[in-house]
Amino acid sequence: MRLRNIPGAKDELKQYPNIVVHDPSQHKGSWKKVFNNENPIHVEVGTGKGQFLVGMSELHPHINFIGIEKYDSVLLRALEQVKDLDRPNLKFLNEDVADILNFFNKGELERLFINFTDPWPKNRHEKRRLTYKGFLEMYEQILVDGGEIHFKTDNQGLFEYSLESFSGYGMTLHNVSLDLHRSGIKGNVMTEYERKFSRKGMRIYRCESKFRS
């Protein structure tokens, strides 16, 4: 998918430091001070246009949410959704998830969401998949003991790979769904891609995986 570059997107993001946190490494270990409360913190990697976290932050006002998105033109779309809302429990980072260890301390997060990430189907690109063991090692370092990853995708191959990756890493799997929208699950908040794919009648795959306590 070709991403359309929006001139001035990065400068626009800088105009809202209360929403888009710049130089997040300065807040490593002190995110609860950023939110000014002791509520749990959940992070979405590859947050895209932000529809998922906008919905989640409304449904769960007592949870703090952070969305990480490296493409500034994409994150600008997320900012446009939230900048006029009263949503103090939602922040964004214009960063690469590969650098996530620079932003959070051990045990600082309780849950991580991976939604509709690039499947990188070629074997030589395996290490780029956000459910590859190298990424799982990073996630484990910043999540609490027994922290969770909630994963959704439309790609069956990536889903099967991810189940194997989670299990191979010693994680336990819960609420595995091979057709999310026919599973009867409650409280599901859809992403932009999820809504698009579901309208086409495509299956959505979902699972929850938990690190060892």
Side-chain angles (χ1 to χ4, degrees):
M1 180 183 67
R2 184 179 296 275
L3 296 171
R4 184 171 68 88
N5 182 59
I6 301 176
K10 188 171 290 291
D11 289 337
E12 181 69 12
L13 295 176
K14 290 180 180 178
Q15 300 304 309
Y16 295 86
N18 60 316
I19 301 173
V20 182
V21 180
H22 304 289
D23 197 6
S25 60
Q26 290 188 346
H27 304 291
K28 183 176 181 178
S30 60
W31 282 99
K32 291 187 176 180
K33 291 183 180 179
V34 174
F35 287 102
N36 197 33
N37 60 53
E38 294 296 317
N39 295 337
I41 301 173
H42 295 183
V43 165
E44 182 186 25
V45 296
T47 202
K49 297 178 182 178
Q51 182 174 314
F52 176 75
L53 287 191
V54 171
M56 289 292 285
S57 60
E58 180 179 13
L59 284 177
H60 305 284
H62 299 298
I63 296 175
N64 297 322
F65 294 92
I66 300 174
I68 302 176
E69 173 58 53
K70 69 177 179 178
Y71 296 110
D72 47 40
S73 293
V74 177
L75 187 57
L76 180 60
R77 298 306 188 196
L79 173 64
E80 289 171 346
Q81 289 196 64
V82 75
K83 66 182 182 181
D84 295 323
L85 301 177
D86 181 21
R87 205 61 58 82
N89 64 325
L90 176 58
K91 308 290 183 187
F92 294 110
L93 309 182
N94 187 200
E95 303 288 346
D96 192 328
V97 65
D99 300 321
I100 199 167
L101 293 182
N102 295 331
F103 313 141
F104 304 104
N105 267 353
K106 169 62 182 173
E108 200 162 15
L109 311 179
E110 292 201 7
R111 183 173 298 170
L112 190 141
F113 298 98
I114 307 174
N115 295 320
F116 300 90
T117 180
D118 191 326
W120 294 106
K122 295 181 180 180
N123 290 336
R124 69 175 183 270
H125 293 152
E126 179 187 10
K127 292 182 179 180
R128 299 183 185 181
R129 299 170 191 162
L130 294 186
T131 54
Y132 175 67
K133 63 181 180 181
F135 280 104
L136 298 184
E137 290 172 357
M138 291 194 292
Y139 304 151
E140 185 178 27
Q141 291 184 55
I142 57 178
L143 285 163
V144 297
D145 292 339
E148 299 178 352
I149 295 175
H150 290 198
F151 176 61
K152 288 196 287 189
T153 182
D154 64 301
N155 188 289
Q156 182 178 351
L158 178 62
F159 190 68
E160 292 172 352
Y161 169 87
S162 300
L163 293 180
E164 292 180 3
S165 184
F166 295 146
S167 296
Y169 196 78
M171 304 177 73
T172 56
L173 298 172
H174 306 273
N175 298 320
V176 177
S177 175
L178 303 180
D179 195 349
L180 175 61
H181 295 164
R182 291 184 175 87
S183 68
I185 190 171
K186 296 180 180 180
N188 180 55
V189 174
M190 288 198 283
T191 73
E192 302 86 6
Y193 283 116
E194 184 175 356
R195 191 175 301 279
K196 175 183 177 181
F197 295 147
S198 65
R199 285 173 177 169
K200 294 181 178 180
M202 298 170 63
R203 283 190 181 191
I204 304 300
Y205 303 90
R206 181 185 184 275
C207 74
E208 300 169 9
S209 55
K210 186 174 182 178
F211 286 102
R212 291 180 292 266
S213 299

